[in-house]
Amino acid sequence: DPGSIEWFWDDFWEGIGRANTFLDNVDAVNMDEDVRTRMKGEALFLRAYFYFQMTDLYGGVPIILEAPKLEQGELPRDTKEAVVDQIVADLDAASGMLPTTQSETGRATKGAALALKARVLLFNGRWAEAALASKQVMGMGYSLYPSYRDLFREANENNVEVIFDAQYKAPEEGNYYELYLGADGGGGWAS
């Protein structure tokens, strides 16, 4: 569906803009320093995730590291390599700020930042760096779920194999494919 490419573009830029707005303003908020650090790590992780999705679909895009401004709409594209370098820098910073576990399911962790870094490097042919990041993740205690058949059942969500996954709020919120296929699976948009 060609429309989804435009939706992804808009959604990823919205996510980057929100992360940048947060990062630009969080230091002015009176709050616990440990929470601030964790939340900065989460914002950097999300910004890196959105930029990775964009480089995967579109190649090089403008690197914007501040809250959205109208004049940013005219920025030229940066090279894909420059964007990947920024993604890696964000994930390096995030991995140093994030805890190894989170009390709320679905929040980014140090392992998630390192796993995303490994994936980004792997997708971009930076083999030696990808191997090092992967080795760090492998040493963090994740393990394979014992039954591949049962891995994707709802009862086994967030199991020992999961490093990071989106948490859907069903039935109020779904995912893109549910919206596209429709609630009845018959195709078209759900109404």
Side-chain angles (χ1 to χ4, degrees), residues 4-135:
S4 62
I5 300 301
E6 184 178 332
W7 298 332
F8 291 149
W9 176 269
D10 292 345
D11 289 347
F12 297 149
W13 278 121
E14 184 177 344
I16 291 167
R18 287 179 177 179
N20 287 341
T21 299
F22 176 84
L23 291 166
D24 282 356
N25 294 291
V26 69
D27 288 333
V29 177
N30 183 18
M31 64 189 303
D32 179 81
E33 284 304 316
D34 290 339
V35 173
R36 181 190 327 269
T37 299
R38 176 183 54 83
M39 292 177 77
K40 282 182 174 182
E42 290 173 357
L44 288 167
F45 172 84
L46 289 171
R47 181 170 75 185
Y49 172 79
F50 292 129
Y51 267 121
F52 172 56
Q53 294 297 326
M54 293 194 74
T55 61
D56 194 38
L57 290 171
Y58 311 109
V61 296
I63 299 172
I64 301 172
L65 305 177
E66 60 186 9
K69 295 175 181 57
L70 189 57
E71 58 271 14
Q72 292 168 341
E74 299 297 320
L75 291 174
R77 294 166 70 118
D78 286 289
T79 65
K80 182 178 181 183
E81 293 76 20
V83 180
V84 169
D85 287 343
Q86 181 60 52
I87 293 167
V88 171
D90 280 352
L91 292 170
D92 283 341
S95 69
M97 297 175 173
L98 292 169
T100 55
T101 60
Q102 290 270 24
S103 59
E104 293 179 68
T105 303
R107 290 192 171 271
T109 61
K110 179 181 184 106
L114 292 171
L116 181 57
K117 178 182 174 182
R119 183 180 179 112
V120 168
L121 293 166
L122 183 66
F123 275 43
N124 287 280
R126 292 166 61 171
W127 314 120
E129 293 171 274
L132 289 174
S134 297
K135 189 170 185 168

